[in-house]
Amino acid sequence: MYLCYIDESGTSSIPGNTSHFILAGLSVPIRNWKDCDQGIEVIKRKYGLEDTEIHVAWMLRPYFEQTQIANFDKSDYAQRKYQVESLRKAELLRLQRAGNSNRYRQVKKNYEKTKGYNHLSRDERQKVILEVATCVSQWGFARLFAECIDKVYFDPARSRPPQTIDEQAFEQLISRFARYLQYMAISDPNSSLGLLIHDNNPTVAKKHTEVMKQFYKNGTLWTSLQRIIETPLFVDSQLTSMVQIADVCAYALRRYLENGEEELFNLVFQRADRKDGKVVGVRHFSKAGCTCKICSAHKRATPLSAIPSALRPQKAQPSD
Ligand SMILES: [Zn+2]
């Protein structure tokens, strides 16, 4: 059986503040789940993040207060945290006195979202994400599925029936996961079933559950979902490291497509589902003739011999 952890990056609203919306799913066989979870826990412990959710967009922001603290890098984690929290308290008091309630709320939210990481320098926070992405790249049993929509080229009227960005992304993602399960079922017809596990966000939960019910009734555009069981399960991402890893994958895809950042992308893209050397699990919905690495790998089959042996897709093991 396969668990597929799903998360998104960017906003699906138009125009929103990102050009792309990414929905990514990372599939692992159940029997590898514990190893994955422990691998991530080891990285978290090393950086004092045992009880903290990895939320990459908040982690990689610049934290202004850290630049105000002399020798920040030389203090221990507890001292650093104390110093940052002191400066933040002072700043919130200042904003409160100044009577700027919008700014106060915005800054307070920013502090809350980043408080779990403020003992780490920016360099260390980048290292955490890089180590996580490296760990994922080495999971030969894992497969990455994603729909990456460039909202500039999205026209709801062109799809039949008309779909929102969320619906297209979700349908594409689960269709690819379902095809992968069908392929795996060739070698193991009785147990290649899949379960979708999603970060619990009440709006998304309701929407995806309804879309999923429709898919069960009608089959999706591309394939039927007979091997995906149940409606998606929604979990608290704070408690489920693997949903946080899907967040890292979605973020890496978006930053590559929007900013050309390759380091994280090159790691997680190694896990994109491939068939005969061609990437079939990740799609970039964009202009015709796009030459990005995703579109290039989607169109052209790379001869297996041209892929370094460590990166070649592994032959499936019988699943649990
Ligand atoms: Zn492209």
Side-chain angles (χ1 to χ4, degrees):
M1 179 153 168
Y2 296 82
L3 304 172
C4 186
Y5 295 91
I6 299 176
D7 209 353
E8 55 196 50
S9 184
T11 57
S12 56
S13 55
I14 296 174
N17 53 5
T18 58
S19 68
H20 280 72
F21 175 72
I22 315 289
L23 190 67
L26 188 69
S27 158
V28 297
I30 274 192
R31 79 191 124 76
N32 296 105
W33 168 81
K34 206 169 181 54
D35 293 336
C36 296
D37 202 58
Q38 281 173 346
I40 299 302
E41 284 307 313
V42 167
I43 299 171
K44 284 182 153 188
R45 261 202 305 277
K46 187 169 143 191
Y47 291 96
L49 297 172
E50 294 91 330
D51 303 316
T52 310
E53 175 180 8
I54 289 181
H55 193 299
V56 60
W58 288 108
M59 283 180 80
L60 296 186
R61 288 181 177 209
Y63 300 170
F64 172 73
E65 313 76 38
Q66 294 187 344
T67 63
Q68 306 298 105
I69 299 166
N71 297 320
F72 181 81
D73 289 355
K74 296 194 175 66
S75 317
D76 64 28
Y77 287 168
Q79 272 175 312
R80 292 179 185 186
K81 196 165 209 44
Y82 173 75
Q83 287 173 308
V84 171
E85 294 292 343
S86 300
L87 288 173
R88 288 183 165 191
K89 268 184 231 157
E91 177 62 6
L92 285 177
L93 280 171
R94 191 188 69 76
L95 288 170
Q96 220 167 16
R97 277 194 217 106
N100 185 343
S101 57
N102 279 347
R103 176 89 186 124
Y104 173 79
R105 272 200 301 275
Q106 201 183 2
V107 170
K108 192 166 178 229
K109 181 186 171 194
N110 187 359
Y111 289 172
E112 272 163 17
K113 293 283 185 186
T114 58
K115 70 174 182 224
Y117 326 113
N118 63 22
H119 60 290
L120 298 175
S121 67
R122 190 155 190 214
D123 192 37
E124 288 163 336
R125 285 178 268 129
Q126 279 167 338
K127 274 192 197 146
V128 175
I129 303 300
L130 193 61
E131 285 183 32
V132 166
T134 304
C135 193
V136 172
S137 75
Q138 291 162 353
W139 292 340
F141 47 79
R143 293 290 179 277
L144 177 65
F145 303 91
E147 173 77 349
C148 312
I149 300 177
D150 185 337
K151 292 186 284 180
V152 172
Y153 298 96
F154 182 79
D155 178 4
R158 260 171 51 197
S159 51
R160 291 283 175 273
Q163 283 182 313
T164 62
I165 286 178
D166 288 294
E167 285 164 352
Q168 174 177 315
F170 189 56
E171 177 175 299
Q172 289 292 325
L173 179 72
I174 61 173
S175 297
R176 284 175 208 141
F177 180 49
R179 273 201 299 262
Y180 169 69
L181 295 173
Q182 281 168 349
Y183 178 72
M184 299 307 272
I186 297 168
S187 57
D188 190 8
N190 296 322
S191 56
S192 290
L193 296 171
L195 186 62
L196 305 170
I197 301 175
H198 206 296
D199 184 17
N200 189 14
N201 162 327
T203 322
V204 177
K206 189 164 179 293
K207 209 162 46 186
H208 283 185
T209 305
E210 277 164 12
V211 173
M212 197 73 186
K213 279 184 191 157
Q214 283 302 317
F215 289 169
Y216 274 124
K217 266 192 213 152
N218 310 330
T220 65
L221 201 55
W222 304 111
T223 186
S224 65
L225 300 179
Q226 52 189 344
R227 309 207 71 86
I228 297 183
I229 58 169
E230 271 286 2
T231 53
L233 296 187
F234 293 91
V235 296
D236 184 346
S237 63
Q238 281 185 324
L239 304 173
T240 314
S241 282
M242 290 301 291
V243 171
Q244 300 162 29
I245 305 317
D247 171 58
V248 173
C249 295
Y251 176 89
L253 292 167
R254 185 170 66 80
R255 297 293 290 199
Y256 167 66
L257 292 169
E258 292 186 349
N259 301 49
E261 294 170 21
E262 294 196 0
E263 194 174 30
L264 295 175
F265 171 84
N266 287 342
L267 289 165
V268 304
F269 194 56
Q270 291 174 28
R271 296 275 54 87
D273 188 34
R274 288 167 168 83
K275 196 157 182 284
D276 303 325
K278 177 181 161 182
V279 168
V280 292
V282 179
R283 179 174 79 154
H284 184 207
F285 183 88
S286 180
K287 59 176 186 263
C290 175
T291 56
C292 80
K293 289 186 178 185
I294 299 172
C295 291
S296 305
H298 202 70
K299 283 175 212 132
R300 281 196 303 275
T302 313
L304 209 54
S305 57
I307 303 173
S309 57
L311 305 183
R312 281 181 208 163
Q314 291 187 350
K315 193 164 164 38
Q317 305 285 317
S319 66
D320 295 326

